Amino acid sequence: MSDFILRPARSADADAILDCWHGSFGDREEFILDFFASADPLRHAVAAEADGRVRSVMFAFDDLDFGGVRASYLYALCTHPDFRRRGMGGAVVAQLMRESLDAGAELVCLSPAGAGLEHWYCDTLGMRPLQRARDELLEKEPPHEGASCAIIPAADYARLRRAAVNVTPQILAAQETLYRHYGGVMLRAEIDGETVLACAEPRGDAVLLRDLVCPPALRRRAAAVVSAHLWNKNVFLRRTG
């Protein structure tokens, strides 16, 4: 018999969730509170409670369109360091998956933070790789003729992004909050009459593209245009401390 109970996470659990999150990821309290206020991850979240307090929690962003398939994206499994290796994390993920599937999701997916976690999810919970994304790290590029590029607000990016692939406002709010605290921008470019969307982050002396939405034939040129714009504008400001 387990020494914890599974239940929905609630706003009253905020202090305990903050402790779990900070203990797992080390983020500043300012970012954590802003993330919860903007992205509302408690809309669908499962917690493991022990000794009257939440000790593990994970969140689901539901109703995504993944290539025409209704999907739920699971995010940020965090277990308090003092309560690890008790089966809480696995139980939380399994319950959240069941709830998402019962609510109509045809696919439940997540992005593990490393190979070790990928093996844990596969070996413990029976998950399987869906696709492997490759981050594109771009060196400084010269300007390209016949193209324009500009940083745009998250709301505009969300509207344009949904026209290409449906991503919920909740997901975009989460991404925008991450960028606001840790660096990164959302951009729109026009290349030969085609609209290109991109999310990009600073990485030392390079630019990391997290999202690039454009016709396949324009992908290489679009990446170069975005990279050139960011280098020329020197847009990245980072917050530390």
Side-chain angles (χ1 to χ4, degrees):
M1 183 176 180
S2 64
D3 59 351
F4 59 87
I5 61 170
L6 297 175
R7 63 168 177 80
R10 301 182 283 265
S11 57
D13 301 315
D15 289 345
I17 292 173
L18 192 150
D19 287 343
C20 292
W21 188 296
H22 182 73
S24 295
F25 307 126
D27 292 310
R28 299 185 305 272
E29 181 176 344
E30 178 186 11
F31 162 73
I32 302 171
L33 295 177
D34 192 8
F35 182 86
F36 275 76
S38 60
D40 190 21
L42 290 177
R43 185 181 304 178
H44 184 193
V46 168
E49 177 187 315
D51 300 332
R53 188 174 174 86
V54 167
R55 307 298 185 179
S56 183
V57 64
M58 193 178 200
F59 315 93
F61 294 131
D62 298 313
D63 297 323
L64 280 70
D65 183 337
F66 193 95
V69 175
R70 183 180 176 186
S72 290
Y73 178 70
L74 309 191
Y75 184 71
L77 173 64
C78 47
T79 301
H80 192 284
D82 294 341
F83 287 81
R84 290 175 181 165
R85 301 189 182 280
R86 301 189 185 187
M88 289 186 182
V92 165
V93 180
Q95 178 65 23
L96 196 55
M97 287 195 296
R98 282 193 294 269
E99 291 183 5
S100 295
L101 293 169
D102 288 345
E106 301 170 85
L107 171 72
V108 176
C109 57
L110 50 80
S111 178
L117 275 177
E118 179 182 335
H119 288 303
W120 181 79
Y121 280 112
C122 291
D123 297 343
T124 303
L125 295 163
M127 303 189 79
R128 293 292 179 265
L130 175 65
Q131 68 179 30
R132 297 190 183 278
R134 185 184 68 183
D135 292 331
E136 298 188 43
L137 196 60
L138 307 173
E139 302 299 335
K140 187 174 181 179
E141 293 275 354
H144 283 248
E145 298 296 329
S148 63
C149 190
I151 298 169
I152 60 175
D156 291 345
Y157 188 93
R159 175 178 54 81
L160 294 167
R161 184 71 168 85
R162 286 197 296 273
V165 178
N166 185 31
V167 176
T168 67
Q170 189 184 13
I171 286 281
L172 266 297
Q175 190 169 32
E176 192 273 337
T177 303
L178 285 166
Y179 281 5
R180 189 167 64 251
H181 283 263
Y182 290 109
V185 288
M186 300 180 186
L187 306 104
R188 174 180 181 174
E190 295 293 333
I191 304 174
D192 298 337
E194 296 281 357
T195 297
V196 172
L197 299 174
C199 289
E201 302 173 24
R203 286 295 175 95
D205 294 328
V207 172
L208 177 67
L209 289 185
R210 289 291 190 185
D211 192 21
L212 184 62
V213 182
C214 67
L218 282 180
R219 188 169 182 82
R220 184 177 295 274
R221 188 178 177 201
V225 167
V226 169
S227 176
H229 177 83
L230 296 182
W231 280 103
N232 292 339
K233 297 298 184 182
N234 191 25
V235 298
F236 290 125
L237 298 175
R238 282 202 165 282
R239 298 178 61 176
T240 58

